[in-house]
Amino acid sequence: MDHLVLEIGLAVLLIAVVGIFSTKLRFSVIPFYILIGMAVGPHAPKIGVFDFRFIESAPFIEFLGRLGVLFLLFYLGLEFSIGRLIKSGRSIAVGGTIYIVINFTLGVIYPLALGFPIEETLVMAGITTISSSAIAAKVLVDLKRTANPETEMILGIIMFEDVFLAVYISILSGLVLSGSTSLGGVLLSALYALGFMLAFLIIGRKAVPLLNRVLNMRSNELFLLVIFGFLFVTAGFSETIHVAEAIGALLVGLVLAETEHLKRIEHFIIPFRDFFGALFFFSFGLTIDPFTLGGAVWLALGAVLITLFGNYSAGLLAGRYAGLSPKASTNIGLTIVSRGEFSIIMANIGLAGGLLQIIQPFAALYVLILAILGPLLTKESKTIYKYANKLLRLDRRTGKL
């Protein structure tokens, strides 16, 4: 803690250097942020007099990274409105169901086919089912796709995943950590999560006139204090009722997008989004021990291939139901193919339950590969669609381009 400021400064400087490097290469910055975190974190090597473990304040950097997730999802919410989300409600519910069913089913079949016990299978299915909302938000912003028609479906699937996550963590924790689970407790957790999100959106929409008056202030300082207070309190409260804090931030953004102060909020939030968002991916890299990954290479690669197939298929089906073109549907599956924070949570449940040790390196390598591959595939989605269309004749099936 004596060198906290120095370590934060070094972390930020390293992030800036690899960011510049990735810009020169015209690659997504996300993989570089993660890799530099791995290179200098607590698991980094010491070679002679060269000690690369100079980031010792990982818990504090991790907290700053959590703020990055909140700002990323908050900004994503600002790019939409509750009205647009409600209009797409039915399509989102169906699309989210399609996405979960396909990916969860494949996630169960894969480890079972390899002979894993049922508890390990359920943990691995959780790891491979839930996408990273932080990476998806970052990709949408970086590629300037927040206004695309398919982004509503992507946003809806992210929210739908959170309801599933609340239910699944309740079941998994009961099975793995205590050997049993309460159906009543599971249903209650699901109802809390769904009820909170619906109530927040309904009340928030009715409160827009009040919010317009409250935010009508000249002082930028007070304006930011009110916005940040609203954001952090809502996100923190969300977590207490088993709704991911990132979803709480998303909900705040959706509500404030309805106000007449939207442009002013966006103007102030963008620098915080970019700075803390970069710290999130760096802090994620700090948690990965590269020396434990070797034994899980083939297991992780197989899971990656299955996830790519499941995501792409789910994106096409969900987009088709919503009346989107195959090109837009391709964007759905590729944008949310990355795995991240939620997969690590699942792996930690397996660790706490004393399950097979391979689950931790499997989760780390699987998440790392998709965190790197996801943004790259999303960026090249037009090329991927072009080849997929030649192979599958997608445009002829729907009549849309």
Side-chain angles (χ1 to χ4, degrees):
M1 293 297 289
D2 293 338
H3 305 290
L4 179 61
V5 175
L6 176 60
E7 289 191 23
I8 297 298
L10 285 171
V12 172
L13 194 59
L14 285 169
I15 291 169
V17 170
V18 297
I20 293 170
F21 182 68
S22 69
T23 301
K24 297 290 185 182
L25 295 178
R26 296 184 179 180
F27 267 65
S28 168
V29 296
I30 294 174
F32 290 90
Y33 291 160
I34 295 173
L35 292 172
I36 194 63
M38 290 174 59
V40 301
H43 306 296
K46 182 180 180 181
I47 306 172
V49 296
F50 297 100
D51 190 351
F52 294 93
R53 298 170 296 179
F54 58 83
I55 299 294
E56 297 179 356
S57 303
F60 184 70
I61 295 176
E62 180 185 356
F63 172 73
L64 297 179
R66 285 175 64 186
L67 297 183
V69 177
L70 299 185
F71 283 117
L72 284 168
L73 271 292
F74 176 56
Y75 182 82
L76 186 58
L78 289 175
E79 293 296 291
F80 291 87
S81 67
I82 299 173
R84 286 177 63 186
L85 203 62
I86 291 174
K87 288 179 181 177
S88 304
R90 181 180 175 86
S91 296
I92 286 171
V94 174
T97 301
I98 291 171
Y99 184 85
I100 293 294
V101 168
I102 289 178
N103 283 282
F104 183 74
T105 301
L106 292 174
V108 168
I109 292 173
Y110 179 60
L112 276 181
L114 294 176
F116 279 89
I118 187 63
E119 290 186 345
E120 280 80 357
T121 293
L122 291 175
V123 169
M124 292 172 72
I127 291 170
T128 58
T129 297
I130 306 297
S131 62
S132 171
S133 53
I135 296 178
K138 177 70 173 172
V139 168
L140 286 171
V141 171
D142 285 353
L143 298 180
K144 295 180 174 59
R145 293 184 181 179
T146 54
N148 285 15
E150 71 273 8
T151 307
E152 289 182 18
M153 177 62 74
I154 293 169
L155 183 64
I157 290 176
I158 288 173
M159 294 181 67
F160 195 88
E161 281 183 314
D162 193 64
V163 176
F164 172 81
L165 186 69
V167 177
Y168 196 66
I169 284 181
S170 299
I171 297 172
L172 199 62
S173 298
L175 287 172
V176 174
L177 302 181
S178 66
S180 63
T181 186
S182 166
L183 179 60
V186 170
L187 293 175
L188 194 60
S189 295
L191 288 174
Y192 271 145
L194 183 59
F196 171 72
M197 287 190 281
L198 290 176
F200 192 92
L201 292 175
I202 293 169
I203 295 172
R205 198 176 194 189
K206 292 184 179 297
V208 167
L210 175 62
L211 291 172
N212 283 332
R213 292 195 296 272
V214 170
L215 295 174
N216 189 23
M217 55 183 73
R218 291 186 177 182
S219 171
N220 291 333
E221 178 184 349
L222 291 177
F223 184 80
L224 274 177
L225 286 172
V226 171
I227 296 296
F228 281 16
F230 186 27
L231 170 62
F232 294 146
V233 167
T234 304
F237 178 74
S238 299
E239 196 172 35
T240 65
I241 58 173
H242 307 294
V243 175
E245 59 186 20
I247 299 300
L250 177 65
L251 293 172
V252 174
L254 287 168
V255 169
L256 292 180
E258 300 275 345
T259 69
E260 59 191 26
H261 303 282
L262 173 60
K263 295 299 181 183
R264 188 182 182 190
I265 297 171
E266 286 181 332
H267 173 73
F268 285 117
I269 287 297
I270 287 175
F272 290 94
R273 177 205 71 192
D274 294 340
F275 178 76
F276 287 104
L279 282 173
F280 165 73
F281 297 106
F282 177 79
S283 68
F284 179 66
L286 294 179
T287 67
I288 299 176
D289 182 355
F291 297 104
T292 66
L293 304 180
V297 171
W298 294 112
L299 182 62
L301 288 175
V304 166
L305 291 175
I306 288 171
T307 299
L308 292 175
F309 171 77
N311 259 65
Y312 190 74
S313 301
L316 288 179
L317 291 173
R320 183 176 182 180
Y321 181 85
L324 298 172
S325 68
K327 186 183 294 185
S329 300
T330 295
N331 288 343
I332 294 173
L334 296 179
T335 303
I336 53 179
V337 77
S338 297
R339 300 298 188 261
E341 60 276 17
F342 298 132
S343 297
I344 298 302
I345 290 172
M346 293 291 178
N348 288 340
I349 292 175
L351 179 65
L355 302 185
L356 294 176
Q357 293 183 354
I358 197 172
I359 288 179
Q360 287 295 110
F362 160 73
L365 187 57
Y366 170 78
V367 167
L368 177 62
I369 293 171
L370 284 179
I372 293 172
L373 198 58
L376 298 178
L377 291 175
T378 308
K379 183 181 178 182
E380 300 300 325
S381 60
K382 290 183 179 179
T383 303
I384 293 171
Y385 166 74
K386 178 182 173 183
Y387 286 107
N389 187 40
K390 285 183 179 179
L391 181 65
L392 302 175
R393 303 293 184 186
L394 299 174
D395 54 344
R396 292 188 179 182
R397 295 183 186 183
T398 62
K400 294 184 179 181
L401 296 175

PDB file of all heavy atoms in Angstrom, residues 291-317:
ATOM      1  N   PHE A 291       0.862 -19.940 -15.977  1.00  0.00           N
ATOM      2  CA  PHE A 291       1.590 -21.202 -15.768  1.00  0.00           C
ATOM      3  C   PHE A 291       0.666 -22.362 -15.416  1.00  0.00           C
ATOM      4  O   PHE A 291       1.110 -23.502 -15.311  1.00  0.00           O
ATOM      5  CB  PHE A 291       2.643 -21.018 -14.678  1.00  0.00           C
ATOM      6  CG  PHE A 291       3.694 -20.005 -15.039  1.00  0.00           C
ATOM      7  CD1 PHE A 291       3.668 -18.737 -14.470  1.00  0.00           C
ATOM      8  CD2 PHE A 291       4.676 -20.299 -15.960  1.00  0.00           C
ATOM      9  CE1 PHE A 291       4.624 -17.787 -14.808  1.00  0.00           C
ATOM     10  CE2 PHE A 291       5.641 -19.354 -16.313  1.00  0.00           C
ATOM     11  CZ  PHE A 291       5.614 -18.089 -15.738  1.00  0.00           C
ATOM     12  N   THR A 292      -0.613 -22.075 -15.223  1.00  0.00           N
ATOM     13  CA  THR A 292      -1.559 -23.161 -14.902  1.00  0.00           C
ATOM     14  C   THR A 292      -2.413 -23.547 -16.097  1.00  0.00           C
ATOM     15  O   THR A 292      -3.304 -24.394 -15.978  1.00  0.00           O
ATOM     16  CB  THR A 292      -2.488 -22.729 -13.751  1.00  0.00           C
ATOM     17  OG1 THR A 292      -3.322 -21.642 -14.188  1.00  0.00           O
ATOM     18  CG2 THR A 292      -1.698 -22.313 -12.521  1.00  0.00           C
ATOM     19  N   LEU A 293      -2.166 -22.917 -17.239  1.00  0.00           N
ATOM     20  CA  LEU A 293      -3.077 -23.080 -18.367  1.00  0.00           C
ATOM     21  C   LEU A 293      -2.769 -24.287 -19.252  1.00  0.00           C
ATOM     22  O   LEU A 293      -3.637 -24.765 -19.976  1.00  0.00           O
ATOM     23  CB  LEU A 293      -3.063 -21.810 -19.234  1.00  0.00           C
ATOM     24  CG  LEU A 293      -3.392 -20.495 -18.510  1.00  0.00           C
ATOM     25  CD1 LEU A 293      -3.348 -19.332 -19.510  1.00  0.00           C
ATOM     26  CD2 LEU A 293      -4.747 -20.562 -17.846  1.00  0.00           C
ATOM     27  N   GLY A 294      -1.537 -24.792 -19.202  1.00  0.00           N
ATOM     28  CA  GLY A 294      -1.112 -25.822 -20.145  1.00  0.00           C
ATOM     29  C   GLY A 294      -1.949 -27.085 -20.142  1.00  0.00           C
ATOM     30  O   GLY A 294      -2.266 -27.629 -21.207  1.00  0.00           O
ATOM     31  N   GLY A 295      -2.333 -27.581 -18.973  1.00  0.00           N
ATOM     32  CA  GLY A 295      -3.058 -28.837 -18.894  1.00  0.00           C
ATOM     33  C   GLY A 295      -4.483 -28.771 -19.394  1.00  0.00           C
ATOM     34  O   GLY A 295      -5.138 -29.818 -19.555  1.00  0.00           O
ATOM     35  N   ALA A 296      -4.989 -27.556 -19.635  1.00  0.00           N
ATOM     36  CA  ALA A 296      -6.389 -27.408 -20.050  1.00  0.00           C
ATOM     37  C   ALA A 296      -6.521 -26.910 -21.486  1.00  0.00           C
ATOM     38  O   ALA A 296      -7.613 -26.510 -21.893  1.00  0.00           O
ATOM     39  CB  ALA A 296      -7.104 -26.446 -19.102  1.00  0.00           C
ATOM     40  N   VAL A 297      -5.433 -26.964 -22.252  1.00  0.00           N
ATOM     41  CA  VAL A 297      -5.440 -26.375 -23.600  1.00  0.00           C
ATOM     42  C   VAL A 297      -6.492 -27.017 -24.496  1.00  0.00           C
ATOM     43  O   VAL A 297      -7.352 -26.324 -25.071  1.00  0.00           O
ATOM     44  CB  VAL A 297      -4.041 -26.493 -24.251  1.00  0.00           C
ATOM     45  CG1 VAL A 297      -4.111 -26.096 -25.726  1.00  0.00           C
ATOM     46  CG2 VAL A 297      -3.045 -25.605 -23.527  1.00  0.00           C
ATOM     47  N   TRP A 298      -6.445 -28.357 -24.626  1.00  0.00           N
ATOM     48  CA  TRP A 298      -7.366 -29.020 -25.557  1.00  0.00           C
ATOM     49  C   TRP A 298      -8.805 -28.949 -25.067  1.00  0.00           C
ATOM     50  O   TRP A 298      -9.734 -28.802 -25.874  1.00  0.00           O
ATOM     51  CB  TRP A 298      -6.937 -30.470 -25.766  1.00  0.00           C
ATOM     52  CG  TRP A 298      -5.625 -30.577 -26.471  1.00  0.00           C
ATOM     53  CD1 TRP A 298      -4.440 -31.019 -25.961  1.00  0.00           C
ATOM     54  CD2 TRP A 298      -5.350 -30.168 -27.818  1.00  0.00           C
ATOM     55  NE1 TRP A 298      -3.440 -30.929 -26.899  1.00  0.00           N
ATOM     56  CE2 TRP A 298      -3.977 -30.414 -28.061  1.00  0.00           C
ATOM     57  CE3 TRP A 298      -6.120 -29.631 -28.850  1.00  0.00           C
ATOM     58  CZ2 TRP A 298      -3.362 -30.139 -29.276  1.00  0.00           C
ATOM     59  CZ3 TRP A 298      -5.521 -29.360 -30.072  1.00  0.00           C
ATOM     60  CH2 TRP A 298      -4.160 -29.606 -30.273  1.00  0.00           C
ATOM     61  N   LEU A 299      -8.988 -29.030 -23.770  1.00  0.00           N
ATOM     62  CA  LEU A 299     -10.333 -28.917 -23.205  1.00  0.00           C
ATOM     63  C   LEU A 299     -10.925 -27.537 -23.501  1.00  0.00           C
ATOM     64  O   LEU A 299     -12.086 -27.416 -23.897  1.00  0.00           O
ATOM     65  CB  LEU A 299     -10.281 -29.156 -21.693  1.00  0.00           C
ATOM     66  CG  LEU A 299     -11.613 -29.127 -20.937  1.00  0.00           C
ATOM     67  CD1 LEU A 299     -12.545 -30.234 -21.427  1.00  0.00           C
ATOM     68  CD2 LEU A 299     -11.370 -29.245 -19.438  1.00  0.00           C
ATOM     69  N   ALA A 300     -10.105 -26.503 -23.322  1.00  0.00           N
ATOM     70  CA  ALA A 300     -10.567 -25.134 -23.567  1.00  0.00           C
ATOM     71  C   ALA A 300     -10.808 -24.876 -25.046  1.00  0.00           C
ATOM     72  O   ALA A 300     -11.797 -24.240 -25.427  1.00  0.00           O
ATOM     73  CB  ALA A 300      -9.546 -24.137 -23.015  1.00  0.00           C
ATOM     74  N   LEU A 301      -9.921 -25.389 -25.910  1.00  0.00           N
ATOM     75  CA  LEU A 301     -10.090 -25.185 -27.353  1.00  0.00           C
ATOM     76  C   LEU A 301     -11.372 -25.834 -27.860  1.00  0.00           C
ATOM     77  O   LEU A 301     -12.089 -25.271 -28.696  1.00  0.00           O
ATOM     78  CB  LEU A 301      -8.882 -25.738 -28.103  1.00  0.00           C
ATOM     79  CG  LEU A 301      -7.581 -24.945 -27.987  1.00  0.00           C
ATOM     80  CD1 LEU A 301      -6.445 -25.671 -28.690  1.00  0.00           C
ATOM     81  CD2 LEU A 301      -7.750 -23.538 -28.553  1.00  0.00           C
ATOM     82  N   GLY A 302     -11.668 -27.033 -27.348  1.00  0.00           N
ATOM     83  CA  GLY A 302     -12.918 -27.690 -27.734  1.00  0.00           C
ATOM     84  C   GLY A 302     -14.130 -26.882 -27.314  1.00  0.00           C
ATOM     85  O   GLY A 302     -15.099 -26.733 -28.077  1.00  0.00           O
ATOM     86  N   ALA A 303     -14.082 -26.338 -26.093  1.00  0.00           N
ATOM     87  CA  ALA A 303     -15.189 -25.518 -25.605  1.00  0.00           C
ATOM     88  C   ALA A 303     -15.346 -24.236 -26.418  1.00  0.00           C
ATOM     89  O   ALA A 303     -16.461 -23.778 -26.677  1.00  0.00           O
ATOM     90  CB  ALA A 303     -14.975 -25.183 -24.129  1.00  0.00           C
ATOM     91  N   VAL A 304     -14.223 -23.655 -26.835  1.00  0.00           N
ATOM     92  CA  VAL A 304     -14.263 -22.441 -27.664  1.00  0.00           C
ATOM     93  C   VAL A 304     -14.971 -22.717 -28.985  1.00  0.00           C
ATOM     94  O   VAL A 304     -15.837 -21.939 -29.426  1.00  0.00           O
ATOM     95  CB  VAL A 304     -12.838 -21.906 -27.911  1.00  0.00           C
ATOM     96  CG1 VAL A 304     -12.840 -20.862 -29.034  1.00  0.00           C
ATOM     97  CG2 VAL A 304     -12.267 -21.296 -26.641  1.00  0.00           C
ATOM     98  N   LEU A 305     -14.623 -23.819 -29.644  1.00  0.00           N
ATOM     99  CA  LEU A 305     -15.258 -24.161 -30.922  1.00  0.00           C
ATOM    100  C   LEU A 305     -16.762 -24.377 -30.756  1.00  0.00           C
ATOM    101  O   LEU A 305     -17.561 -23.919 -31.591  1.00  0.00           O
ATOM    102  CB  LEU A 305     -14.603 -25.423 -31.502  1.00  0.00           C
ATOM    103  CG  LEU A 305     -13.162 -25.274 -31.977  1.00  0.00           C
ATOM    104  CD1 LEU A 305     -12.606 -26.616 -32.421  1.00  0.00           C
ATOM    105  CD2 LEU A 305     -13.066 -24.248 -33.108  1.00  0.00           C
ATOM    106  N   ILE A 306     -17.146 -25.054 -29.683  1.00  0.00           N
ATOM    107  CA  ILE A 306     -18.565 -25.298 -29.427  1.00  0.00           C
ATOM    108  C   ILE A 306     -19.295 -23.987 -29.152  1.00  0.00           C
ATOM    109  O   ILE A 306     -20.419 -23.768 -29.622  1.00  0.00           O
ATOM    110  CB  ILE A 306     -18.720 -26.274 -28.240  1.00  0.00           C
ATOM    111  CG1 ILE A 306     -18.297 -27.671 -28.680  1.00  0.00           C
ATOM    112  CG2 ILE A 306     -20.158 -26.289 -27.719  1.00  0.00           C
ATOM    113  CD1 ILE A 306     -18.204 -28.666 -27.562  1.00  0.00           C
ATOM    114  N   THR A 307     -18.649 -23.093 -28.401  1.00  0.00           N
ATOM    115  CA  THR A 307     -19.261 -21.796 -28.096  1.00  0.00           C
ATOM    116  C   THR A 307     -19.440 -20.949 -29.350  1.00  0.00           C
ATOM    117  O   THR A 307     -20.472 -20.289 -29.531  1.00  0.00           O
ATOM    118  CB  THR A 307     -18.403 -21.034 -27.069  1.00  0.00           C
ATOM    119  OG1 THR A 307     -18.324 -21.794 -25.862  1.00  0.00           O
ATOM    120  CG2 THR A 307     -19.005 -19.664 -26.756  1.00  0.00           C
ATOM    121  N   LEU A 308     -18.443 -20.960 -30.224  1.00  0.00           N
ATOM    122  CA  LEU A 308     -18.557 -20.203 -31.482  1.00  0.00           C
ATOM    123  C   LEU A 308     -19.732 -20.717 -32.308  1.00  0.00           C
ATOM    124  O   LEU A 308     -20.513 -19.921 -32.863  1.00  0.00           O
ATOM    125  CB  LEU A 308     -17.256 -20.317 -32.277  1.00  0.00           C
ATOM    126  CG  LEU A 308     -16.024 -19.618 -31.686  1.00  0.00           C
ATOM    127  CD1 LEU A 308     -14.793 -19.932 -32.528  1.00  0.00           C
ATOM    128  CD2 LEU A 308     -16.257 -18.113 -31.604  1.00  0.00           C
ATOM    129  N   PHE A 309     -19.862 -22.032 -32.387  1.00  0.00           N
ATOM    130  CA  PHE A 309     -20.974 -22.622 -33.135  1.00  0.00           C
ATOM    131  C   PHE A 309     -22.315 -22.271 -32.476  1.00  0.00           C
ATOM    132  O   PHE A 309     -23.265 -21.866 -33.160  1.00  0.00           O
ATOM    133  CB  PHE A 309     -20.806 -24.139 -33.198  1.00  0.00           C
ATOM    134  CG  PHE A 309     -22.017 -24.850 -33.760  1.00  0.00           C
ATOM    135  CD1 PHE A 309     -22.278 -24.851 -35.114  1.00  0.00           C
ATOM    136  CD2 PHE A 309     -22.907 -25.506 -32.910  1.00  0.00           C
ATOM    137  CE1 PHE A 309     -23.401 -25.493 -35.632  1.00  0.00           C
ATOM    138  CE2 PHE A 309     -24.026 -26.154 -33.405  1.00  0.00           C
ATOM    139  CZ  PHE A 309     -24.283 -26.153 -34.771  1.00  0.00           C
ATOM    140  N   GLY A 310     -22.394 -22.421 -31.154  1.00  0.00           N
ATOM    141  CA  GLY A 310     -23.643 -22.142 -30.434  1.00  0.00           C
ATOM    142  C   GLY A 310     -24.047 -20.688 -30.520  1.00  0.00           C
ATOM    143  O   GLY A 310     -25.223 -20.376 -30.756  1.00  0.00           O
ATOM    144  N   ASN A 311     -23.080 -19.790 -30.361  1.00  0.00           N
ATOM    145  CA  ASN A 311     -23.389 -18.362 -30.420  1.00  0.00           C
ATOM    146  C   ASN A 311     -23.861 -17.939 -31.804  1.00  0.00           C
ATOM    147  O   ASN A 311     -24.828 -17.178 -31.950  1.00  0.00           O
ATOM    148  CB  ASN A 311     -22.158 -17.541 -30.027  1.00  0.00           C
ATOM    149  CG  ASN A 311     -22.226 -17.051 -28.605  1.00  0.00           C
ATOM    150  OD1 ASN A 311     -22.216 -17.839 -27.662  1.00  0.00           O
ATOM    151  ND2 ASN A 311     -22.310 -15.749 -28.429  1.00  0.00           N
ATOM    152  N   TYR A 312     -23.158 -18.430 -32.808  1.00  0.00           N
ATOM    153  CA  TYR A 312     -23.529 -18.035 -34.167  1.00  0.00           C
ATOM    154  C   TYR A 312     -24.921 -18.556 -34.519  1.00  0.00           C
ATOM    155  O   TYR A 312     -25.752 -17.823 -35.082  1.00  0.00           O
ATOM    156  CB  TYR A 312     -22.504 -18.563 -35.173  1.00  0.00           C
ATOM    157  CG  TYR A 312     -22.683 -17.987 -36.556  1.00  0.00           C
ATOM    158  CD1 TYR A 312     -22.313 -16.676 -36.822  1.00  0.00           C
ATOM    159  CD2 TYR A 312     -23.235 -18.740 -37.583  1.00  0.00           C
ATOM    160  CE1 TYR A 312     -22.491 -16.132 -38.077  1.00  0.00           C
ATOM    161  CE2 TYR A 312     -23.415 -18.209 -38.850  1.00  0.00           C
ATOM    162  CZ  TYR A 312     -23.035 -16.902 -39.090  1.00  0.00           C
ATOM    163  OH  TYR A 312     -23.220 -16.356 -40.333  1.00  0.00           O
ATOM    164  N   SER A 313     -25.199 -19.800 -34.155  1.00  0.00           N
ATOM    165  CA  SER A 313     -26.516 -20.384 -34.419  1.00  0.00           C
ATOM    166  C   SER A 313     -27.610 -19.636 -33.665  1.00  0.00           C
ATOM    167  O   SER A 313     -28.667 -19.316 -34.224  1.00  0.00           O
ATOM    168  CB  SER A 313     -26.526 -21.863 -34.006  1.00  0.00           C
ATOM    169  OG  SER A 313     -25.549 -22.585 -34.698  1.00  0.00           O
ATOM    170  N   ALA A 314     -27.346 -19.340 -32.387  1.00  0.00           N
ATOM    171  CA  ALA A 314     -28.340 -18.626 -31.576  1.00  0.00           C
ATOM    172  C   ALA A 314     -28.584 -17.221 -32.120  1.00  0.00           C
ATOM    173  O   ALA A 314     -29.729 -16.744 -32.145  1.00  0.00           O
ATOM    174  CB  ALA A 314     -27.870 -18.558 -30.123  1.00  0.00           C
ATOM    175  N   GLY A 315     -27.518 -16.561 -32.560  1.00  0.00           N
ATOM    176  CA  GLY A 315     -27.666 -15.218 -33.124  1.00  0.00           C
ATOM    177  C   GLY A 315     -28.519 -15.219 -34.374  1.00  0.00           C
ATOM    178  O   GLY A 315     -29.389 -14.356 -34.552  1.00  0.00           O
ATOM    179  N   LEU A 316     -28.294 -16.206 -35.255  1.00  0.00           N
ATOM    180  CA  LEU A 316     -29.088 -16.299 -36.483  1.00  0.00           C
ATOM    181  C   LEU A 316     -30.562 -16.548 -36.182  1.00  0.00           C
ATOM    182  O   LEU A 316     -31.451 -15.917 -36.766  1.00  0.00           O
ATOM    183  CB  LEU A 316     -28.548 -17.424 -37.377  1.00  0.00           C
ATOM    184  CG  LEU A 316     -27.211 -17.178 -38.076  1.00  0.00           C
ATOM    185  CD1 LEU A 316     -26.812 -18.401 -38.887  1.00  0.00           C
ATOM    186  CD2 LEU A 316     -27.291 -15.944 -38.984  1.00  0.00           C
ATOM    187  N   LEU A 317     -30.837 -17.463 -35.242  1.00  0.00           N
ATOM    188  CA  LEU A 317     -32.229 -17.790 -34.904  1.00  0.00           C
ATOM    189  C   LEU A 317     -32.927 -16.631 -34.198  1.00  0.00           C
ATOM    190  O   LEU A 317     -34.080 -16.306 -34.508  1.00  0.00           O
ATOM    191  CB  LEU A 317     -32.266 -19.044 -34.028  1.00  0.00           C
ATOM    192  CG  LEU A 317     -31.874 -20.358 -34.725  1.00  0.00           C
ATOM    193  CD1 LEU A 317     -31.786 -21.491 -33.719  1.00  0.00           C
ATOM    194  CD2 LEU A 317     -32.883 -20.693 -35.822  1.00  0.00           C
TER     195      LEU A 317
END
